[in-house]
Amino acid sequence: LARTGADRHQAGQTRWKFLTWCADSDIPEVRRLAVTVDRWWPEIAAFIDTGHSNAKSEGINRVIKLVARNAFGFRNGALNSRRSPGRAASGHTPGNGSESDRSTWSAPASSRSSTL
């Protein structure tokens, strides 16, 4: 009904038909859906009337939270670069025995002196 030019009366009739169908159902999830739609009806009606929603702001907020969640704890640039997706995709994972891992490995003092 959104953006179709439907008036409030038509939207109300459609709502009533939907809620009646849900009430006649024996499926508990369908009845819960009817309760949810009924609870959110003022917001649904506003969308039907105006055609506007807050989807863009909700999407932006979701991306901001995702970036913040992924960045949490990565204060050290070296640690962050080691865990970046590009490095993992190239087959390098910390501790796989590559040269870069061996060069940063710290051996006990007794074995360092014998290898020099």
Side-chain angles (χ1 to χ4, degrees):
L1 292 174
R3 299 185 183 114
T4 62
D7 60 354
R8 284 186 175 264
H9 180 70
Q10 184 182 359
Q13 283 181 333
T14 305
R15 173 187 178 207
W16 179 257
K17 200 160 78 171
F18 173 74
L19 293 177
T20 303
W21 177 81
C22 290
D24 292 341
S25 174
D26 293 332
I27 303 170
E29 291 83 3
V30 172
R31 290 184 178 193
R32 255 185 293 162
L33 174 63
V35 170
T36 302
V37 168
D38 196 41
R39 198 176 296 144
W40 280 91
W41 185 252
E43 288 82 1
I44 295 169
F47 175 69
I48 292 170
D49 287 343
T50 64
H52 297 289
S53 75
N54 66 341
K56 285 184 183 178
S57 63
E58 290 290 339
I60 291 169
N61 286 340
R62 184 188 61 81
V63 170
I64 290 169
K65 287 181 181 181
L66 181 66
V67 168
R69 189 178 322 124
N70 287 338
F72 183 75
F74 295 117
R75 305 289 186 247
N76 181 343
L79 178 64
N80 194 13
S81 67
R82 259 192 289 160
R83 293 185 180 181
S84 69
R87 300 266 301 185
S90 67
H92 173 81
T93 55
N96 69 356
S98 68
E99 286 299 318
S100 63
D101 287 333
R102 286 188 213 121
S103 64
T104 58
W105 179 67
S106 177
S110 59
S111 61
R112 271 189 276 159
S113 60
S114 64
T115 58
L116 296 175

